[in-house]
């Protein structure tokens, strides 16, 4: 596992991520999600618990939100309010960085540096290892194949893993993501680690992989799934299905029990803490009502909308906010049930949308100054085209999959990570968690070539269906991007204008 390529790709990925971090070493944060994570981390680092919105922090937001302090009983202006709105693991990670660095302005650079080293760069070698295990070396060999054919398959598999790792190492948006104080940073790497260990557990016991090591893989799978859920609970549907996958696909009942038990043991303490805090059964985070409110708001389109996003923030009691948000969302759905399906379609489109929102926000709010049009177009192409190329290639690569436990796990992840966003709230940044997996599929397609599509077509009726579906996915992606560009053309034209850096679009 720990071969020279894995180390090399890690260091390349790290250096590429350090470039924007060092260039932006004086960059602060905005009054958004990053501000909330920073509040929680500062509170934890100072030993004050999982609290936010102390009086000093409320003052910074006073011009945006009129907070209702009566909703939380005895408000402590020094400590702030105990909260369950955010999942705990990412603030805890930041708190460790702040504890050693201190909580002055330099904490932001320290956090970004730690994210590049421990969360961003590891994505590349993990993608390499996952690619190796996703395509078993002797997946469909017949006894008649020669040793030369065996060696060719080994080389093809290794080259596929190399290409996928390079794609993730140099993927433009993943390079700059450590600049943000966002939960996606640990979520990406923990989810990939979970999938990698699950794929490892699919290996049959051998002399080199005895059953004791497989049992350890099941335990580790559950631990990583639990940690991933403590970062973003949206992964819980996939975690439950992963348990069923171990039971029925791998036929490992004990293994499924170990995955479930270790996952529950990781999650349970925080669930108990939140339940005691609110005096009723409560999950990992209480943001569902808020997200549903935004996702079904009459002024919304299924994605994040700035105006309505402030409506519920004045309520500092998380349980009350969650309940009100859920009730309002249900009222929105009952008042206009005909919007339900169109909003779901919209969210699916946003999920697979072009990765332009971050660029539009940072440039349009004059955070990076004016950029001449030729250079701006070049930067836009560098930021947007990788997803276009990789995702369309991955769609074609889907028809080349051979059905085995490993590929069933991949399909479960692709579907059941996407679905919650389709019915709750969606943005283009949410698909970044899937980039390592679509990079693997794209690399397999590139290694196989277009001739593999015709070969699959001739293979069987099922092969024809898969090829048709893959081409359909490509056409849907292209149509979605075309509609997106038409929808946002007024904003795009303004950004490309002489004062585009002063457009001041809300995120």
């Amino acid at each position: 596992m720990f071969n020279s390529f894995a180390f090399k790709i890690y260091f390349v990925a790290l250096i590429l991520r350090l470039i924007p971090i060092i260039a932006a070493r004086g960059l602060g944060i905005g009054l958004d999600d990053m501000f909330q994570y920073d509040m929680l981390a500062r509170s934890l680092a100072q030993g004050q618990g999982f609290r936010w919105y102390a009086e000093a922090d409320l003052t910074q937001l006073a011009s945006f939100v009129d907070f209702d302090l009566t909703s939380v009983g005895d408000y402590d202006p020094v400590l702030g309010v105990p909260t369950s709105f955010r999942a705990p693991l990412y603030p805890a990670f930041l708190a460790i960085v702040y504890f050693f660095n201190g909580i002055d302005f330099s904490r932001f650079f320290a956090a970004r540096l730690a994210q590049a080293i421990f969360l961003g760069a590891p994505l590349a070698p993990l993608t390499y290892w996952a690619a190796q295990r996703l395509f078993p070396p002797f997946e469909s060999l017949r006894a008649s194949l020669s040793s030369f054919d065996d060696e060719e398959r080994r080389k093809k598999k290794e080259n596929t893993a190399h290409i996928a790792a390079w794609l993730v190492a140099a993927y433009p948006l993943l390079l700059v993501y450590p600049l943000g104080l966002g939960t996606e940073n640990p979520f990406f790497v923990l989810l990939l680690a979970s999938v990698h260990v699950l794929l490892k557990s699919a290996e049959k016991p051998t002399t080199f992989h005895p059953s004791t090591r497989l049992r350890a893989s099941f335990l580790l799978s559950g631990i990583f799934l639990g940690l991933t859920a403590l970062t973003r609970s949206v992964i819980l549907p996939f975690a439950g299905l992963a348990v069923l996958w171990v039971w029925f696909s791998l036929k490992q009942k004990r293994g499924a029990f170990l995955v479930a038990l270790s996952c529950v043991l990781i999650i349970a303490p925080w669930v108990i803490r939140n339940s005691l805090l609110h005096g009723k059964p409560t999950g990992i985070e209480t943001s569902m009502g808020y997200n549903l409110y935004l996702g079904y708001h009459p002024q919304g389109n299924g994605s994040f909308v700035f105006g309505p996003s402030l409506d519920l923030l004045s309520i500092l009691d998380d349980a009350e906010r969650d309940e009100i948000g859920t009730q309002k969302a249900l009222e929105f759905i009952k008042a206009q049930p005909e919007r339900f399906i169109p909003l779901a379609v919209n969210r699916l489109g946003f999920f697979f949308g072009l990765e332009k929102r971050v660029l539009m926000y940072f440039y349009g709010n004059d955070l990076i100054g004016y950029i001449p049009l030729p250079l701006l177009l070049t930067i836009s192409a560098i930021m947007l085209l990788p997803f276009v190329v990789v995702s369309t290639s991955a769609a074609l690569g889907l028809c080349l999959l051979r059905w085995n436990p490993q590929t069933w796990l991949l399909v479960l992840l692709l579907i059941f990570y996407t679905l919650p966003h389709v019915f709750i709230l969606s943005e283009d940044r949410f698909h970044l968690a899937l980039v390592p997996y679509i990079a693997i599929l794209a690399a397999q397609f590139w290694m196989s070539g277009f001739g593999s599509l015709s070969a699959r077509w001739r293979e069987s009726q099922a092969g024809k269906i898969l090829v048709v579906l893959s081409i359909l996915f490509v056409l849907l992606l292209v149509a979605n991007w075309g509609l997106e560009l038409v929808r946002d053309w007024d904003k795009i034209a303004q950004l490309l204008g002489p004062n585009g850096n002063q457009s001041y679009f809300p995120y």
Side-chain angles (χ1 to χ4, degrees):
M1 175 186 289
F2 296 100
N3 60 27
S4 58
F5 177 78
F7 280 111
K8 179 175 71 174
I9 201 67
Y10 168 82
F11 284 113
V12 170
L14 178 59
I15 291 170
L16 291 174
R17 283 154 178 78
L18 289 178
I19 293 172
I21 289 173
I22 294 172
R25 57 188 176 277
L27 183 67
I29 60 171
L31 297 178
D32 51 12
D33 291 0
M34 289 192 282
F35 184 70
Q36 293 185 337
Y37 290 121
D38 180 63
M39 282 191 290
L40 293 170
R42 282 187 278 114
S43 179
L44 288 171
Q46 296 175 92
Q48 296 172 351
F50 202 74
R51 293 170 172 264
W52 62 7
Y53 291 122
E55 189 173 51
D57 295 315
L58 287 179
T59 302
Q60 297 186 57
L61 298 170
S63 59
F64 300 97
V65 183
D66 183 17
F67 288 96
D68 179 14
L69 300 181
T70 63
S71 66
V72 292
D74 296 330
Y75 172 73
D76 190 321
V78 176
L79 300 180
V81 182
T83 180
S84 61
F85 185 74
R86 296 292 187 184
L89 196 61
Y90 181 59
F93 170 82
L94 287 180
I96 294 172
V97 177
Y98 291 3
F99 178 80
F100 288 103
N101 179 83
I103 58 172
D104 58 10
F105 186 82
S106 67
R107 70 185 184 273
F108 301 131
F109 178 74
R112 288 161 179 148
L113 195 61
Q115 288 183 160
I117 296 170
F118 299 110
L119 306 179
L123 286 172
L126 277 171
T127 300
Y128 169 69
W129 292 326
Q132 287 186 314
R133 289 195 157 89
L134 185 59
F135 306 114
F138 303 108
E139 181 180 359
S140 59
L141 290 178
R142 296 183 177 89
S144 59
L145 288 179
S146 66
S147 58
F148 175 78
D149 295 319
D150 294 355
E151 185 60 28
E152 284 297 303
R153 285 178 58 85
R154 288 182 186 276
K155 288 182 179 179
K156 181 179 176 181
K157 172 190 164 185
E158 187 69 10
N159 289 337
T160 298
H162 283 190
I163 293 171
W166 278 109
L167 284 172
V168 171
Y171 196 83
L173 202 53
L174 292 180
L175 297 185
V176 299
Y177 232 86
L179 289 174
L181 270 59
T183 187
E184 288 87 354
N185 285 293
F187 181 75
F188 295 161
V189 70
L190 287 171
L191 178 59
L192 186 52
S194 302
V195 172
H196 169 246
V197 181
L198 284 168
L199 290 171
K200 185 177 180 180
S201 70
E203 297 174 346
K204 295 181 179 179
T206 65
T207 303
F208 300 102
H209 300 281
S211 58
T212 52
R213 286 186 61 181
L214 291 182
R215 286 195 294 271
S217 294
F218 292 132
L219 280 171
L220 197 58
S221 299
I223 291 171
F224 274 122
L225 286 170
L227 292 173
T228 307
L230 288 177
T231 307
R232 289 188 67 199
S233 60
V234 71
I235 204 61
L236 284 174
F238 170 71
L241 288 167
V243 173
L244 297 178
W245 173 80
V246 173
W247 188 329
F248 294 103
S249 188
L250 301 187
K251 304 187 187 317
Q252 293 277 355
K253 293 183 180 179
R254 290 183 180 179
F257 174 76
L258 289 174
V259 174
L261 178 64
S262 54
C263 183
V264 168
L265 288 177
I266 292 294
I267 294 172
W270 191 251
V271 170
I272 293 172
R273 179 264 185 190
N274 288 345
S275 299
L276 292 174
L277 176 64
H278 297 299
K280 62 179 182 179
T282 306
I284 293 173
E285 51 193 328
T286 50
S287 59
M288 176 68 81
Y290 177 82
N291 290 330
L292 286 171
Y293 178 84
L294 287 182
Y296 290 94
H297 195 279
Q299 297 177 20
N301 55 10
S303 187
F304 181 87
V305 183
F306 177 71
S309 70
L310 301 177
D311 293 349
L312 302 181
L313 289 185
S314 61
I315 305 171
L316 287 181
D317 184 292
D318 296 324
E320 181 183 352
R321 186 195 310 108
D322 190 49
E323 183 178 351
I324 291 174
T326 302
Q327 290 175 351
K328 288 290 186 181
L330 292 174
E331 291 174 9
F332 297 152
I333 294 171
K334 291 178 181 178
Q336 295 179 294
E338 69 278 4
R339 296 179 72 231
F340 186 85
I341 298 300
L343 283 175
V345 173
N346 274 359
R347 293 192 200 100
L348 186 61
F350 286 126
F351 186 90
F352 289 104
L354 296 169
E355 297 165 349
K356 68 182 192 303
R357 193 166 190 171
V358 171
L359 178 63
M360 290 176 69
Y361 176 77
F362 275 88
Y363 180 64
N365 283 272
D366 205 21
L367 296 176
I368 52 180
Y370 174 74
I371 301 176
L373 182 59
L375 180 57
L376 181 60
L377 291 174
T378 302
I379 294 173
S380 300
I382 292 172
M383 296 296 293
L384 302 182
L385 288 180
F387 180 66
V388 172
V389 174
V390 174
S391 61
T392 51
S393 300
L396 295 174
L398 281 172
C399 73
L400 304 181
L401 292 177
R402 300 291 175 178
W403 296 112
N404 55 38
Q406 291 89 336
T407 51
W408 274 116
L409 181 69
L410 176 63
V411 170
L412 289 174
L413 173 64
L414 295 176
I415 294 175
F416 288 95
Y417 171 71
T418 305
L419 272 182
H421 298 99
V422 171
F423 294 108
I424 302 173
L425 189 72
S426 188
E427 298 179 37
D428 58 76
R429 64 187 173 97
F430 293 156
H431 72 231
L432 289 172
L434 299 181
V435 165
Y437 317 99
I438 67 174
I440 294 172
L441 291 172
Q444 189 194 30
F445 172 71
W446 294 340
M447 286 301 302
S448 302
F450 280 97
S452 61
L453 297 182
S454 60
R456 196 67 196 268
W457 178 272
R458 295 190 301 269
E459 187 177 285
S460 64
Q461 188 64 31
K464 291 181 173 63
I465 294 173
L466 287 174
V467 172
V468 170
L469 287 176
S470 294
I471 295 174
L472 178 61
F473 289 155
V474 172
L475 295 176
L476 288 174
L477 285 170
V478 173
N480 180 58
W481 299 327
L483 291 172
E484 179 181 348
L485 291 174
V486 171
R487 181 193 67 215
D488 297 336
W489 185 249
D490 55 338
K491 294 182 180 179
I492 296 171
Q494 186 173 341
L495 282 172
L496 297 178
N499 298 312
N501 58 311
Q502 298 176 11
S503 301
Y504 298 111
F505 297 132
Y507 182 77

